[in-house]
């Protein structure tokens, strides 16, 4: 994987460090910048080009979606959040991926591989792992479930 400039935006120090450490393990040559608020992230984005922004949804009363208009179109967004109810909106703003906390090395690796394989992603489906979540609509709600929770599928 070639070196990239990556921005990690999360109001929780532990969460920022966790993502940064995982990204560093997966791609040691990446240059990682961290921001703890939307205003800090906007300032950093105005000064530097990033390949990817890892973005939390809930940022001390603000929504990560409020940062999206400030992110250049060529910069990919990967949401990393504990909130599973914003996935549809995330993909409506063309997020590259949506990772539920806590992130794992395997999940971040898979998300970063989407960036490298983006031109091929539309042509082939990626295999699921047992740790993956899928978005399911039931009669009552839309929610994420783990692949390992699926007993059967009926259409």
């Amino acid at each position: 994987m070639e070196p990239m400039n990556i921005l990690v935006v999360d109001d929780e120090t532990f969460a920022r460090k966790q993502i940064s450490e995982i990204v560093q393990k997966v791609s040691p040559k990446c240059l990682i910048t961290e921001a703890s608020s939307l205003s800090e992230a906007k300032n950093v984005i105005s000064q530097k080009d990033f390949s990817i922004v890892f973005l939390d949804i809930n940022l001390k009363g603000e929504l990560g979606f409020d940062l999206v208009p400030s992110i250049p179109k060529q910069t990919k967004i990967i949401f990393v959040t504990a909130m599973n109810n914003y996935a549809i909106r995330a993909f409506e703003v063309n997020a590259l991926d949506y990772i539920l906390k806590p992130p794992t090395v395997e999940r971040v690796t898979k998300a970063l591989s989407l960036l490298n394989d983006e031109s091929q992603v539309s042509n082939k489906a990626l295999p699921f792992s047992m740790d993956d979540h899928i978005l399911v609509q039931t009669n009552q709600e839309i929610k994420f479930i783990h692949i390992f929770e699926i007993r059967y599928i009926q259409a």
Side-chain angles (χ1 to χ4, degrees):
M1 193 174 294
E2 68 182 57
M4 296 178 277
N5 284 327
I6 294 177
L7 176 61
V8 178
V9 183
D10 199 308
D11 58 335
E12 298 174 19
T13 304
F14 176 78
R16 282 194 315 275
K17 297 298 180 199
Q18 188 178 38
I19 287 291
S20 296
E21 288 173 8
I22 291 173
V23 170
Q24 205 66 60
K25 280 183 188 176
V26 173
S27 188
K29 295 181 182 178
C30 284
L31 303 172
I32 301 171
T33 304
E34 296 180 7
S36 62
S37 68
L38 291 184
S39 60
E40 186 179 351
K42 286 177 184 177
N43 185 39
V44 171
I45 288 170
S46 71
Q47 297 175 21
K48 189 175 182 181
D49 291 327
F50 292 95
S51 302
I52 301 173
V53 175
F54 283 90
L55 181 59
D56 190 14
I57 301 247
N58 188 10
L59 298 161
K60 290 185 184 164
E62 298 179 298
L63 287 178
F65 291 106
D66 296 333
L67 182 64
V68 172
S70 302
I71 299 173
K73 297 231 181 285
Q74 72 273 14
T75 302
K76 302 303 177 191
I77 302 168
I78 298 174
F79 285 97
V80 182
T81 182
M83 305 176 77
N84 65 6
N85 53 328
Y86 285 99
I88 293 173
R89 185 169 175 196
F91 290 109
E92 287 174 350
V93 297
N94 295 319
L96 182 65
D97 208 345
Y98 193 94
I99 300 173
L100 289 175
K101 290 180 180 178
T104 63
V105 171
E106 294 78 17
R107 191 64 185 86
V108 171
T109 300
K110 189 173 186 177
L112 290 175
S113 73
L114 293 175
L115 182 67
N116 292 336
D117 298 337
E118 191 174 31
S119 62
Q120 300 171 13
V121 168
S122 61
N123 296 332
K124 73 174 191 178
L126 298 174
F128 286 111
S129 73
M130 294 304 281
D131 289 333
D132 282 337
H133 292 80
I134 62 169
L135 191 63
V136 176
Q137 181 174 354
T138 67
N139 292 338
Q140 297 82 25
E141 63 185 337
I142 297 175
K143 65 180 183 175
F144 277 101
I145 61 169
H146 279 99
I147 295 292
F148 67 79
E149 293 179 298
I150 298 173
R151 301 282 184 249
Y152 68 93
I153 297 174
Q154 181 178 352

